[in-house]
Amino acid sequence: MEWNTETLQFLSQCFLNTLSPLPEPRRRAEAALAEASDKPNFGLAVLRLVAEPSVDEQTRQAAAVNFKNHLKSRWVTSSPNESNLPSLIQISDPEKAQIRSLIVSLILQSSPRIQSQLSEALAMIGKYDFPKSWSTLLPELVSSLSSVSEANDYASVNGILATVNSLFKKFRYQFKINDLLIDLKYCLDNFAKPLLDIFKRTAGLIDVWASSGQPAEKLREYIESQWLCCRIFYSLNFQDLPEFFEDHMSEWMIEFKKYLTVRYSALEDGGGDGLSLVDELRAAVCENISHYMEKEEELFQGYLGGFVEAVWSLLVIASASSSRERLTVTALKFLTTVSTSVHHTLFARDDILQQICGSIVIPNVMLRDEDEELFEMNYVEFIRRDMEGSDLDTRRRIACELLKGIATNYKDKVTEKVSVQIQNLLALFAENPAANWKHKDCAIYLVVSLATKKAGGSLVSTDLVDVESFFGTVIVPELRSQDVNEFPMLKAGALKFFTMFRNQISKPVAMALLPDVVRFLGSESNVVHSYAASCIEKLLLVKDDGVRARYTSSDISPFLLALMTNLFGALQNPESEENQYVMKCIMRVLGVADITTEVAAPCITGLTSVLNKVCENPKNPIFNHYLFEALAVLVRRACEKNPSLISAFEASLFPSLQLILANDVSEFFPYAFQLLAQLVELNRPPIPQHYMQIFEILLLPDSWKKSANVPALVHLLQSFLQKAPYELNQEGRLTRVLGIFNKLVSSSSSDEQGFYVLNTVTEYLGYDVISPYMGHIWASLFTRLQNSRTVKFIKSLVIFMSLMLVKHGSQNLVDSINTVQPNIFLVILEQFWIPNLKFITGSIELKLTSVASTRLICEYPGLLDPAAGRLWGKMLDSIVTLLSRPEQDRVEEEPEVPDYGETVGYNATFVHLYNAGKKEEDPLREIKDPKQFLVNSLANISALSPGRYPQVIAENLDPANQAAVLQLCSSYGLSIV
């Protein structure tokens, strides 16, 4: 695209029309720009338009936005795997070079709005090109920074600093690898001194401003500049403390402390966002000093006392204001870092602890208007912060973290002070409950947040209060309250306490309160009925002695109907239609309760109704997962108890499952197939005819294109093979099934699934049925073995050969393999079976492979021949290793190799339904002890050739395995003669 008058007019008109309120000219302009964007030098032409002073500001700003987006999509072309979008034409290298040469000077000439767009574009280029392919950028930025600062042009100074800040951000989040450190050194060498120079220069201007009475707007620019310098400081110091910053630490720290202690009343009291601007600078300073405290405590200690005092004083004031959240949090984090360091003695005095509790912690833990607003307006975010622990950046949580930090060295003192605060808060509540309910909430929050959890468990403890006494006097009155909608935040806190300390609340006390918790499922507050559901769900997980469930079906039977009614009722509340806590509770209750017909019927109706609704627009994957788990557990437990319910469940579920398949709700395909597999498995042969229609769909190649569906489809196919082996051999179905096996086994991402199919065919069909196909099966497996072998594949192959042997005999196994190539079985045995047998894991797999291997050396004539003694001995050596050594001594972890196979369409991952899982079938139920089977077999064959096998064992078995054989023989009272 040539830059001339026509191009200028064309682009100007297009960008002007993109701003039109009328859809038609706007669409035409967007289409014209999209077409033009494929032409060479389009980006350069747009950049020149942005620089054209004759074009109005609004049009140039639209062009700047387009330029930024054009660069995002075309500076580096994404690979086909990264996007489903068609590949775009990349900007040519000569055009890139011209853009790089123009953009810095153009940023300096532009208005703030255009400048921000161009700075983003420059940062995007820098992500790929800086510094290796753009070595002139930083010197140009440094030179420009020097000239504009000399001219006191702080709009341009801040534009340059914002650009540098964007460029250097990568040092904060990228891994510390050699390339990153080389880039960091380059940036330090070129920018550490200019950064300090502009920082000190601006600091001086701020001091002059304070005494000269200049307009507040100038101070705003200076403060913003210092904030940007602080963020660049953070980036350059993030990986390690550079020598330059160590040498000039005092120059930085003196100014840092000033910004924490000086008030800039012209901005802070002037309304607008002046206070937040100054607080952003202070928060950036707190982050910097926290970082130095963590990284270079020894070098920093000389400044520490002054900073602690400054931050402390600032916190006492900031804590009183709702609008100063970010400053409060970063300041609290700094004090928390200090409290757990060797300088914790700064917090040792009683008066200091008292001030922390009274002036910092309590004001920050006390509920504010914005907390109430979040509680009412966005219950999902409130719960995420409050119950799921994602509130580490909120003042409530970080204030408690400060107390925990101090308690690491002064636990008794903290406990004493906080316990007194809790009693004071409860006393104030008692004086006027309606007015002072937030004081009680604060007391509960302190107990819950400061409780300590045992590693890896759900047991929590606290020294602040006696749990039973506190529960009885503070929590129970809230739970007994007849109005479930009164003071909902207090009710939520009480339910959270009950949930957290559920292990310490005795069963009789908890059982007496459970009907009250069930009532709270009817609360209008989304948070309250969510917490009530979570409380019940967590109670049902409590185990005594870590083994026995404390609450059983008989415990919840008296109010089961009310419980289920209220749970389904909660899903009718606005914004709770897809409440994951309620659905998880439904799933848990169905897993514990006694599922009678009276319970099953309304539950299956309610769940399928919810399913049909979410099929229209699946939004919440966690809710959807619990929904399908609830369906699976209901089907499993109800039908196992009463098989006559299967047909009723089919009648309810089939329309919903057909809806999923017919409307291509691809997110739900894996779930639907798992539920269908569960229903097939629950049926007794012959399975109803309507399932055969699904069987036909299952065999279509299109069904297997999406990798996320494969495990569920395999499970469903296995269920059909198990329940309908006769139908499998009709109408060419077996050929199609083996075609599926062949496709799955050819890829390392699905080979295990292919073996599942093959193993099920082998287990449930007679050899007369499968023998015509065995040559093709072995050829397929050996081709894969030759082209792309993995430990996982070879283990699966050994398991399959073992199953083939125990189901159809060693002779059929050997003969069918040798049809591929004469005597190839012995090669497979020596190169793959024997060396990999010891890697087999899983109790059923271990028994299957050890028994099959034992039968092979004791039945197959080719191995009983004296000439095969070495091979026989090596096989026995592997069997003994498998049976006698612990798994961790036998198995080496195979590294996970990421698979970038084709994923067609919806890129979901398979999610296993725990309650619809396939039960592992033991193909050797009649053999209880594989070790005894080995010794019996060895004793029997040795009796036929006395003296032969002890010699073979001595020559071929590892000494430890020889000893293991003797030990096994002794254990079972047998001998090898």
Side-chain angles (χ1 to χ4, degrees):
M1 181 176 274
E2 293 285 330
W3 180 246
N4 50 38
T5 308
E6 290 77 16
T7 302
L8 173 63
Q9 289 174 343
F10 165 73
L11 289 176
S12 299
Q13 193 59 50
C14 282
F15 285 120
L16 183 63
N17 287 345
T18 60
L19 304 172
S20 171
L22 302 172
E24 191 51 41
R26 191 171 67 246
R27 277 197 288 266
R28 275 202 310 271
E30 287 167 353
L33 287 169
E35 184 181 347
S37 66
D38 284 335
K39 294 178 180 176
N41 296 321
F42 171 80
L44 189 58
V46 175
L47 185 61
R48 285 186 164 135
L49 171 67
V50 174
E52 183 55 54
S54 63
V55 178
D56 70 276
E57 169 89 6
Q58 201 175 15
T59 303
R60 287 191 292 133
Q61 189 180 340
V65 172
N66 179 279
F67 173 75
K68 177 188 72 177
N69 293 333
H70 180 72
L71 263 56
K72 274 184 181 175
S73 60
R74 293 171 189 257
W75 196 266
V76 175
T77 307
S78 60
S79 67
N81 285 341
E82 286 177 31
S83 173
N84 291 323
L85 297 170
S87 186
L88 299 169
I89 298 168
Q90 189 176 345
I91 298 170
S92 68
D93 288 340
E95 184 182 356
K96 285 181 179 179
Q98 289 191 68
I99 289 171
R100 287 193 295 255
S101 70
L102 292 172
I103 193 166
V104 173
S105 60
L106 185 50
I107 286 173
L108 297 179
Q109 297 164 20
S110 301
S111 64
R113 287 183 177 178
I114 293 175
Q115 194 178 73
S116 69
Q117 298 298 327
L118 294 180
S119 291
E120 281 186 53
L122 184 147
M124 197 283 306
I125 299 169
K127 178 183 173 184
Y128 298 105
D129 293 8
F130 176 78
K132 290 182 181 62
S133 302
W134 199 359
S135 58
T136 59
L137 173 61
L138 204 49
E140 187 179 357
L141 288 170
V142 170
S143 172
S144 300
L145 183 63
S146 175
S147 60
V148 294
S149 64
E150 286 295 330
N152 206 23
D153 177 5
Y154 265 78
S156 296
V157 166
N158 292 346
I160 294 169
L161 290 175
T163 302
V164 174
N165 183 39
S166 297
L167 285 171
F168 289 4
K169 273 182 184 176
K170 68 177 183 178
F171 300 124
R172 298 183 211 165
Y173 58 80
Q174 288 187 11
F175 287 115
K176 190 176 179 178
I177 58 174
N178 200 44
D179 282 354
L180 186 79
L181 295 179
I182 291 170
D183 288 355
L184 176 57
K185 184 179 185 308
Y186 171 83
C187 293
L188 285 164
D189 290 345
N190 285 278
F191 203 76
K193 186 178 184 305
L195 177 66
L196 178 60
D197 290 344
I198 190 66
F199 182 71
K200 287 168 66 178
R201 187 179 192 285
T202 310
L205 289 171
I206 291 173
D207 292 341
V208 170
W209 181 93
S211 58
S212 67
Q214 294 178 45
E217 193 51 45
K218 210 64 192 168
L219 178 61
R220 166 186 287 278
E221 289 182 344
Y222 298 154
I223 294 291
E224 185 183 347
S225 179
Q226 296 302 68
W227 173 76
L228 286 164
C229 286
C230 283
R231 300 312 290 149
I232 297 167
F233 176 98
Y234 188 74
S235 297
L236 292 175
N237 283 271
F238 189 85
Q239 300 290 342
D240 284 306
L241 175 57
E243 188 178 338
F244 180 87
F245 285 95
E246 186 179 335
D247 293 342
H248 296 273
M249 189 185 289
S250 63
E251 293 163 79
W252 286 98
M253 297 304 153
I254 289 166
E255 293 304 319
F256 283 173
K257 187 179 175 187
K258 188 189 296 178
Y259 300 136
L260 295 177
T261 51
V262 174
R263 281 195 87 252
Y264 298 97
S265 52
L267 286 179
E268 295 183 59
D269 303 334
D273 64 348
L275 176 61
S276 64
L277 184 70
V278 179
D279 277 356
E280 279 296 325
L281 172 58
R282 289 167 177 153
V285 167
C286 287
E287 280 199 85
N288 287 341
I289 60 177
S290 288
H291 184 67
Y292 265 49
M293 186 66 213
E294 289 171 2
K295 287 266 184 184
E296 298 294 340
E297 188 177 320
E298 194 175 326
L299 288 169
F300 185 63
Q301 63 182 346
Y303 307 96
L304 185 60
F307 275 121
V308 168
E309 188 179 335
V311 170
W312 188 300
S313 303
L314 194 58
L315 257 178
V316 171
I317 300 163
S319 295
S321 170
S322 296
S323 63
R324 306 180 79 176
E325 177 96 0
R326 173 153 165 70
L327 172 61
T328 303
V329 168
T330 52
L332 283 167
K333 281 183 177 178
F334 169 69
L335 293 182
T336 304
T337 302
V338 176
S339 74
T340 55
S341 73
V342 295
H343 304 286
H344 56 78
T345 50
L346 291 166
F347 300 94
R349 286 188 357 232
D350 275 5
D351 59 321
I352 290 175
L353 275 175
Q354 185 65 43
Q355 193 179 358
I356 287 173
C357 287
S359 302
I360 294 176
V361 174
I362 299 300
N364 281 299
V365 172
M366 196 72 72
L367 282 171
R368 296 165 187 264
D369 291 345
E370 57 265 34
D371 299 318
E372 291 185 73
E373 186 178 331
L374 188 68
F375 182 92
E376 291 169 9
M377 305 302 292
N378 189 347
Y379 85 94
V380 175
E381 179 61 18
F382 181 90
I383 294 173
R384 197 175 69 82
R385 290 184 184 183
D386 185 55
M387 191 161 70
E388 296 180 3
S390 69
D391 60 341
L392 275 174
D393 281 335
T394 64
R395 58 169 88 206
R396 288 194 103 188
R397 175 59 67 90
I398 201 67
C400 291
E401 291 301 311
L402 172 58
L403 282 178
K404 284 182 181 178
I406 299 170
T408 54
N409 293 292
Y410 307 102
K411 186 178 179 183
D412 292 343
K413 284 185 175 182
V414 170
T415 302
E416 179 194 337
K417 301 290 181 197
V418 177
S419 296
V420 170
Q421 291 287 349
I422 288 169
Q423 295 310 314
N424 292 342
L425 289 163
L426 293 173
L428 285 166
F429 168 77
E431 287 174 14
N432 188 343
N436 295 339
W437 66 270
K438 289 182 182 179
H439 291 75
K440 183 172 184 177
D441 173 87
C442 184
I444 295 171
Y445 187 90
L446 282 168
V447 177
V448 169
S449 297
L450 296 173
T452 53
K453 184 179 282 193
K454 286 194 175 177
S458 59
L459 195 65
V460 293
S461 61
T462 181
D463 296 319
L464 293 173
V465 295
D466 176 79
V467 171
E468 284 191 28
S469 171
F470 190 86
F471 186 74
T473 58
V474 178
I475 304 301
V476 169
E478 295 305 324
L479 300 178
R480 291 283 194 207
S481 169
Q482 291 309 297
D483 187 349
V484 296
N485 295 313
E486 185 184 35
F487 301 120
M489 296 190 85
L490 209 44
K491 301 291 188 293
L495 287 164
K496 185 181 172 187
F497 185 97
F498 191 2
T499 306
M500 179 165 270
F501 291 98
R502 60 192 177 276
N503 285 286
Q504 287 95 309
I505 309 300
S506 68
K507 184 173 177 179
V509 171
M511 286 304 304
L513 288 165
L514 258 177
D516 291 303
V517 180
V518 172
R519 279 191 307 111
F520 280 108
L521 291 168
S523 169
E524 293 169 3
S525 164
N526 300 83
V527 176
V528 171
H529 60 243
S530 299
Y531 278 21
S534 184
C535 182
I536 295 164
E537 190 265 326
K538 294 287 191 290
L539 279 170
L540 294 180
L541 289 175
V542 173
K543 287 183 167 53
D544 288 323
D545 308 319
V547 180
R548 189 168 34 86
R550 183 181 294 179
Y551 302 96
T552 62
S553 57
S554 59
D555 294 321
I556 58 175
S557 286
F559 49 85
L560 178 59
L561 212 56
L563 171 56
M564 297 312 292
T565 301
N566 284 12
L567 282 167
F568 280 105
L571 294 175
Q572 305 303 313
N573 281 291
E575 295 185 28
S576 264
E577 297 91 344
E578 296 184 30
N579 187 313
Q580 65 201 52
Y581 308 98
V582 173
M583 187 52 72
K584 189 177 185 182
C585 186
I586 291 172
M587 176 201 74
R588 191 75 64 210
V589 172
L590 291 174
V592 173
D594 184 22
I595 309 293
T596 61
T597 307
E598 293 73 30
V599 174
C603 284
I604 193 67
T605 303
L607 289 171
T608 50
S609 171
V610 173
L611 176 57
N612 292 342
K613 200 172 291 181
V614 296
C615 279
E616 295 170 12
N617 182 18
K619 295 194 293 275
N620 184 341
I622 300 172
F623 173 85
N624 296 336
H625 181 75
Y626 290 135
L627 168 60
F628 281 101
E629 285 285 12
L631 283 163
V633 73
L634 175 62
V635 169
R636 176 172 61 81
R637 298 193 72 241
C639 295
E640 283 175 357
K641 181 178 181 181
N642 183 359
S644 67
L645 286 172
I646 295 172
S647 57
F649 277 17
E650 288 172 346
S652 293
L653 269 174
F654 259 61
S656 299
L657 299 179
Q658 286 168 339
L659 181 70
I660 290 168
L661 299 176
N663 291 358
D664 197 29
V665 188
S666 55
E667 299 95 320
F668 291 169
F669 277 12
Y671 292 124
F673 295 137
Q674 287 177 88
L675 285 178
L676 283 166
Q678 185 184 34
L679 290 168
V680 172
E681 286 164 6
L682 286 166
N683 271 279
R684 292 194 176 95
I687 60 172
Q689 191 55 39
H690 54 256
Y691 281 103
M692 296 314 295
Q693 297 166 356
I694 296 165
F695 197 7
E696 287 302 317
I697 295 171
L698 181 60
L699 297 179
L700 295 172
D702 279 357
S703 302
W704 296 82
K705 284 184 176 176
K706 293 176 184 174
S707 58
N709 296 341
V710 168
L713 287 168
V714 167
H715 181 186
L716 179 54
L717 184 53
Q718 286 180 288
S719 305
F720 276 118
L721 299 179
Q722 187 178 341
K723 292 290 182 176
Y726 174 76
E727 288 87 345
L728 173 62
N729 200 28
Q730 308 296 311
E731 302 171 21
R733 291 191 185 110
L734 181 54
T735 306
R736 291 153 73 191
V737 167
L738 292 174
I740 290 166
F741 144 74
N742 195 43
K743 183 178 186 302
L744 294 175
V745 88
S746 64
S747 166
S748 62
S749 64
S750 60
D751 52 13
E752 209 166 18
Q753 300 296 328
F755 275 109
Y756 292 157
V757 174
L758 186 58
N759 291 345
T760 311
V761 168
T762 305
E763 190 165 358
Y764 289 99
L765 295 181
Y767 191 70
D768 57 325
V769 177
I770 63 172
S771 61
Y773 304 95
M774 287 310 302
H776 295 293
I777 290 170
W778 292 121
S780 179
L781 292 172
F782 296 158
T783 300
R784 169 66 206 280
L785 193 61
Q786 195 172 12
N787 295 337
S788 174
R789 72 184 63 154
T790 61
V791 174
K792 181 182 70 166
F793 177 84
I794 296 169
K795 282 161 65 175
S796 297
L797 178 62
V798 171
I799 291 166
F800 166 63
M801 292 190 293
S802 300
L803 183 64
M804 184 78 188
L805 187 149
V806 301
K807 285 295 176 184
H808 305 300
S810 58
Q811 199 62 52
N812 282 334
L813 170 70
V814 175
D815 290 349
S816 63
I817 289 177
N818 284 337
T819 59
V820 178
Q821 187 180 316
N823 295 320
I824 196 174
F825 173 73
L826 291 178
V827 176
I828 297 294
L829 184 71
E830 183 167 11
Q831 292 187 12
F832 300 105
W833 192 325
I834 291 173
N836 289 284
L837 180 61
K838 64 185 176 186
F839 296 128
I840 301 299
T841 55
S843 57
I844 291 175
E845 291 84 353
L846 185 145
K847 180 166 77 164
L848 169 65
T849 52
S850 65
V851 168
S853 302
T854 301
R855 282 183 54 181
L856 194 61
I857 62 173
C858 296
E859 290 176 10
Y860 176 54
L863 285 175
L864 292 171
D865 189 315
R870 185 186 65 81
L871 213 51
W872 188 96
K874 291 301 176 190
M875 182 64 141
L876 178 60
D877 191 56
S878 283
I879 297 169
V880 176
T881 299
L882 179 68
L883 290 174
S884 63
R885 297 192 193 176
E887 189 174 298
Q888 62 267 25
D889 295 345
R890 295 186 289 108
V891 179
E892 295 174 15
E893 281 296 313
E894 183 181 15
E896 275 295 317
V897 180
D899 184 80
Y900 301 105
E902 71 291 349
T903 303
V904 182
Y906 177 70
N907 190 10
T909 52
F910 171 72
V911 183
H912 172 69
L913 280 178
Y914 173 82
N915 289 296
K918 188 178 189 326
K919 289 181 182 173
E920 276 202 273
E921 299 287 338
D922 183 356
L924 293 167
R925 282 185 288 272
E926 69 281 3
I927 295 173
K928 304 299 179 193
D929 184 354
K931 294 178 182 177
Q932 186 175 18
F933 181 82
L934 172 67
V935 175
N936 278 339
S937 303
L938 292 174
N940 289 338
I941 65 158
S942 72
L944 300 175
S945 307
R948 175 180 158 197
Y949 289 102
Q951 184 182 349
V952 175
I953 289 170
E955 290 172 357
N956 292 287
L957 265 68
D958 179 90
N961 284 348
Q962 292 181 40
V965 170
L966 288 173
Q967 177 63 44
L968 286 170
C969 288
S970 171
S971 300
Y972 295 105
L974 294 165
S975 59
I976 300 169
V977 295

